[in-house]
Amino acid sequence: RSVVYTFLHLTIQEFAAALAQFLSSDPGDLAKLLTEAHSEDDGRFEVFLRFVTGLSSPGSAQSLGKILGPFCHQTICTVIDWVKDEVEHQIGNSGSGAGKRRLRNTLHYLFESQ
């Protein structure tokens, strides 16, 4: 017997997926997942990535930590390091239209992580 979860809105599903990955992933696996999700050109992981990077912000970590328990410091550092690396990489590759879209999204991730 399999269990199927349904959500009223896709955004809730994206948040649940981001939170599950953030809380349960090995930091190295999470960095790989972030890179793979960000490399997709169709934009289907943009909301997921925003939620993951938002979970790494100090305010989110403190507020949700009261409910869920403290977040793993290594996971937060992994996400922040990934965002920094992506910003540096995307600034150098923003010549094309797709490159500009990726840079814009990466800057959104940087904002979410603050």
Side-chain angles (χ1 to χ4, degrees), residues 82-107:
W82 177 82
V83 171
K84 287 179 188 176
D85 292 344
E86 283 300 315
V87 168
E88 290 173 359
H89 177 74
Q90 295 303 325
I91 285 175
N93 295 328
S94 61
S96 68
K100 289 178 183 176
R101 183 182 62 78
R102 283 181 183 253
L103 176 60
R104 184 192 74 231
N105 287 332
T106 304
L107 292 173

Side-chain angles (χ1 to χ4, degrees), residues 6 13-14 33 41 56-57 60 67 85 87:
T6 59
Q13 179 180 339
E14 297 289 335
L33 176 68
D41 289 330
S56 69
S57 75
S60 294
I67 299 167
D85 292 344
V87 168

